Amino acid sequence: MSDLLLVRHGETAWSANGRHTGRTDLPLTARGVEEAISLAPFFRDRPPALVLTSPLRRAVATAELAGLTGGEPDPDLYEWDYGGYEGITTAEIRTTTPDWSLWTHGVPPGDTDHPGESAAQVGARADRALARVAPVLRADGGDVVFVAHGHFLRVLTARYLRLEPEHGRLFLLRTGTVSVLSTEHGLPVIAGWNTRP
């Protein structure tokens, strides 16, 4: 069976200062561009059979800079919709809700562009994305790459491992990294996490 490679986009201004960045379409910072370019050697000797990206420009640009040409935008790979917490840091949220966690408390609804999502809704999108690429992975026709976002990829990893979406909290994911989901003896495993070439 082929591997599923997860690429978290390079740094943005909001990821650098901890702001929840769901559907806000921010560009990469200069550091984010460097992070994306640094991933190219990883894929030079391991060309994928299929590349899917979040439609947001930080993911599309990361794919292109990493040499992952021909990526197809997939709306199921959008970041978690943070609703009323879009653009706000955890520290700011905790001034009114001291023990707040995205994984346990969720987000309040925002405006029409940011209605918010629950962990279960993000998990459903992750399940659809995994189902879409399962035939390619099973056929062992080459690796599949998802270029997307931190919280979404953490939920997707939980679902790949047959865990509940909230278990994504266990998988810290840095910007500009590659992680590898694979199988061992027919069971899903993490073969690499938060790696940089």
Side-chain angles (χ1 to χ4, degrees), residues 160-162 182-190:
Y160 180 85
L161 297 172
R162 303 176 187 157
S182 191
T183 57
E184 182 183 46
H185 307 299
L187 297 173
V189 297
I190 297 174

Side-chain angles (χ1 to χ4, degrees), residues 18-33:
R19 296 192 177 281
H20 288 90
T21 319
R23 304 298 169 94
T24 303
D25 202 4
L26 298 175
L28 299 175
T29 61
R31 180 170 185 243
V33 169

Side-chain angles (χ1 to χ4, degrees), residues 29-165:
T29 61
R31 180 170 185 243
V33 169
E34 290 173 10
E35 287 175 338
I37 291 170
S38 77
L39 299 177
F42 188 92
F43 299 104
R44 195 168 294 130
D45 299 324
R46 192 175 183 168
L50 177 63
V51 177
L52 298 177
T53 71
S54 160
L56 296 173
R57 62 180 160 168
R58 58 191 183 269
V60 173
T62 297
E64 291 170 354
L65 291 166
L68 295 165
T69 58
E72 301 172 27
D74 184 334
D76 279 332
L77 272 59
Y78 270 117
E79 178 59 299
W80 194 316
D81 184 336
Y82 299 119
Y85 288 158
E86 182 77 8
I88 300 174
T89 67
T90 297
E92 290 169 326
I93 297 164
R94 287 184 173 171
T95 61
T96 56
T97 310
D99 63 344
W100 180 83
S101 166
L102 175 66
W103 304 102
T104 55
H105 293 85
V107 299
D111 59 24
T112 54
D113 292 331
H114 304 95
E117 284 183 295
S118 67
Q121 289 171 312
V122 179
R125 288 196 288 113
D127 289 346
R128 286 194 303 268
L130 290 169
R132 188 169 299 120
V133 300
V136 178
L137 295 173
R138 277 196 303 270
D140 205 18
D143 295 332
V144 173
V145 180
F146 285 164
V147 184
H149 312 276
H151 280 127
F152 173 77
L153 291 174
R154 292 168 70 177
V155 170
L156 183 130
T157 299
R159 298 304 298 141
Y160 180 85
L161 297 172
R162 303 176 187 157
L163 301 171
E164 293 302 315

